[in-house]
Amino acid sequence: MNKYLKNRNFIIGFIFLSIILILAFGGLFFKPYNPSQIDIANKLQGFSRQHILGTDHLGRDILSRLMVGSTISLEIGFFVVLFGALIGIPIGAIAGYYGGKIDEIIMKLIDTLMSFPGVLIALMLIAVFNVSLSIIILALVLIALPKFARISRSGFYKYRESPFVLATKARGASSFRIMLFHILPHLVPSLMVTASLTFATAIISEAGLSYLGLGIQPPTPSFGKMVSEAQSYILQDPLYVFIPTLAITILVLGFNLIGDGIQDISEKDKNNE
Amino acid sequence: MKKNFVLLTLLFAIFVSVIFSGGKSEKKASEYKIKDTVKLCISSEPDSLNPWISAASDTSAIMDNVFEGLMGFNEEGTLVPRISSSYTVSTDGLVYTFKIRDDVYFHNGKHLSSADVLYSYQSFLKDGGNGNYRFPSISSIAAPDDYTFVVTLSSPSASFLISTVEEILPKGYDKQATLPIGTGPYKFVEYQPSQKIVFEANENYYDKTRLPSIKNVIVYIMSDSSSIIAALQSNQLDAAEISSNNADLLSDNYNVITGPRNLVSVLVLNNKIAPLDNVKVRTAINMAIKKEDVVNGVFDGYAQVINSNISPVYKKDYNNDLLTINSYDLTKAKDLLSQAGYPNGFDLEITIPSNYWQHVDTAQIIQQQLLKIGINVKLKNVEWGTWLDQVYTNRNYSSTIIGIDGKLDPYDALVRYTTDSRNNFFNYSNSEYDAVLNSTLSASGQELSTLYKKAQEIMAKDAGSAFICAPSSIVATTKDLKGYMFYPVYFINFDSLYYENSSTN
């Protein structure tokens, strides 16, 4: 743990992330106002004691909306990483460990999936089904999955012929056992990096989709929707658009820095080996 | 798009601040120029320069400075003579005889005669015009001499005259779509796709009282509201329609003028879906909506509260006495719901086209308001195409929020609520309403207005839907530009524009 505390990237990333985590978890227990409560008389108020971060164009409390928005962003990021990893890593493992024809077929399929722009996949899914949280997560998982598969495939391919794997194989261990207990642990650092970067990408993709009106639907607040709603007030009340934009920046930067930190540390470990 | 998102936001902020700081110095430079040019903008690309093909209101708003019909309209929507100096109607109301002016020339120098009018009307009757105006049951048209044009109807029609604003084009000219010509006070000069359309004053215009004061008019194509504001502040535009949230921002350095728009913001209730088929339920919904909140919250006060299915833009025909019907009263609304058998309210789904943020915001306000009488609103955001398909075409919805626009003739706005109307996606049906609208066809003058008002009253008492407000048009112009006028249909009249003190510059 000590080595993580010495890494500047990791520390800053962790602090950034904590801000959002406090907002999100704090919001589960206590919110200053109902985030959908409209109060026209108090719209577009700046920072004040009643509304710490001010109110939006319909007089809703921005802090309360950020709390709900961050929960949703984290929820989406979490499920995208979870499902992306659960599906992507085994696919990559099979391709990399067995190699040959299987590898070729699986990786061609993954490359096909990768060649679709993310937003296009999301658009197609939303056109077929109606917009809902699960469809957004599904779309983002399809975008995240190839990254996990590629990282996992290259790792398994690298270690499948290494002496300790051959030795274990000679001892009669099953392929499943070798993959899960002997190769996978070596890939944890690089998969962790992928996970944190995917988390960031998922959050910003959701913000982008919501900004375009294809993501989380009103009245549920989300970072991207808040930015797009605030955009038309940018000249009147710049703070209104600044706050949700800052929230997205902090959250995404946080995950990116943590990812960088883990990478630094694992490289240092490797050099020390 | 994903990673660039934050970057773009930042860039945009920098761009805006640059515009702010640069605005003042540029203003000085332009003060030395002689002011004979007005720079305006419209939000969408023209669909066709040929007025008979074009159907977009943005296009006709500017191109109708180039073209004219037998008659034109003024800012009250009243018909005024244009190409025809006068007309007479036979006593049975069937034969209209138009006297054509003898001093009208097309922009290419060709003299206008009744042959051009005849050619134009033959085309209208052949393809039914461009769909902007209806030509009711014309049995024959004729041009007995060079300056007379006669239309014979098969049955009397009050709305025939309105259709005579349809544009007259020269006979035997086939380049209307690329180099359009008409008889109007402005000539078309050039069109650069997705950039601008340029017009020039027609110095030979026949009506000397309407001779243009501005020599050149350039209309830019701009849709983003922030870039319109930036362009205004950097003097790249002299006048532009702006959104309500920017009105206060500009009111110090610009003239911000407002006028009614032919648009009605409505919470549409599908009259055939339970429980909305019950008039008590619809009345309760009407009574629970505090329309002022929508006006202030969504339109920043730039809208007029109404309880009529047409906009106050029809000054003669709008019924101003309906606001007391089903006015805001939560206790009564709850009573009505109990009487209708829903003492604890019910669930209501509102389908909203998500591309219109005004409707999305209105829906969120109404959601909160209806909660107070126990109606639990679920918002269903759909794309515009889905909205058109599900709501407008197939009428498969319970309620929706939409802006309903009207044409020059109030009849067109009212007729969509009749039982058999193709556009009656409200599923509203009242035989009394149908009968009143039918009797307007043969009425005229004061009697016609009374009938139109009667129809609005029936609608309000029936609580056919919840008619919320009529949003205003808001235009910001530079301080010295005067004469911007609002019309019942979207039209930017170039020839009424002038610069104050422009002679001294």
Side-chain angles (χ1 to χ4, degrees), chain B residues 202-263:
Chain B
N202 174 11
E203 319 246 291
N204 302 320
Y205 189 61
Y206 56 86
D207 187 348
K208 301 301 172 202
T209 59
R210 286 180 64 218
L211 269 187
S213 134
I214 307 283
K215 196 163 178 299
N216 303 302
V217 176
I218 306 172
V219 181
Y220 292 93
I221 297 154
M222 286 183 174
S223 57
D224 180 60
S225 73
S226 307
S227 48
I228 288 173
I229 301 295
L232 270 172
Q233 286 177 328
S234 61
N235 271 20
Q236 285 160 25
L237 287 178
D238 295 312
E241 193 146 346
I242 55 171
S243 52
S244 57
N245 52 25
N246 291 316
D248 290 342
L249 190 79
L250 294 172
S251 58
D252 288 343
N253 301 319
Y254 296 82
N255 287 328
V256 174
I257 47 178
T258 63
R261 190 194 309 189
N262 202 339
L263 188 76

Side-chain angles (χ1 to χ4, degrees), chain B residues 287-304:
Chain B
M287 286 179 169
I289 295 175
K290 205 174 173 191
K291 298 171 180 175
E292 288 79 9
D293 273 3
V294 176
V295 168
N296 292 327
V298 182
F299 300 100
D300 301 271
Y302 290 94
Q304 185 179 340

Side-chain angles (χ1 to χ4, degrees), chain A residues 108-150:
Chain A
K108 282 280 178 313
L109 286 175
I110 291 289
D111 285 347
T112 316
L113 196 54
M114 239 179 160
S115 64
F116 282 101
V119 174
L120 189 67
I121 295 183
L123 269 175
M124 289 193 298
L125 281 171
I126 288 163
V128 176
F129 309 97
N130 262 333
V131 184
S132 70
L133 192 60
S134 43
I135 289 298
I136 295 167
I137 292 177
L138 175 63
L140 297 178
V141 165
L142 285 180
I143 302 167
L145 190 148
K147 289 179 203 149
F148 280 105
R150 286 215 141 264

Side-chain angles (χ1 to χ4, degrees), chain B residues 4 6 25 45 50 87 117 128 130 139 160 162 167 180 183-184 227-228 307 320 353 365 397 436 460:
Chain B
N4 290 341
V6 173
S25 56
E45 196 87 14
N50 184 339
Y87 67 91
V117 181
N130 64 7
S139 69
F160 163 68
I162 295 234
E167 301 88 349
T183 59
S227 48
I228 288 173
N307 190 22
N320 206 11
I365 293 176
Y397 71 103
V436 169

Side-chain angles (χ1 to χ4, degrees), chain A residues 36 43 57 60 205 217 236, chain B residues 245 300 361 364 368 381:
Chain A
S36 352
K43 65 174 189 171
H57 65 293
R60 295 172 294 197
S205 302
Q217 294 298 316
Q236 244 192 337
Chain B
N245 52 25
D300 301 271
D361 282 356
Q364 295 179 68
Q368 296 280 317
N381 293 271

Side-chain angles (χ1 to χ4, degrees), chain A residues 16 46 57 69 73 78 84 86 99 108 133 144 153 163 168 176 189 208 231 233 251:
Chain A
F16 279 2
H57 65 293
S73 280
F78 176 77
L86 278 181
K108 282 280 178 313
L133 192 60
R153 184 255 175 201
T168 326
F176 179 75
Q231 188 196 294
Y233 294 87
L251 185 52

Side-chain angles (χ1 to χ4, degrees), chain A residues 227-256:
Chain A
V227 173
S228 83
E229 282 179 343
Q231 188 196 294
S232 57
Y233 294 87
I234 191 166
L235 298 173
Q236 244 192 337
D237 187 1
L239 280 177
Y240 176 20
V241 74
F242 179 71
I243 291 164
T245 315
L246 187 70
I248 297 175
T249 313
I250 289 180
L251 185 52
V252 172
L253 207 56
F255 275 109
N256 277 333

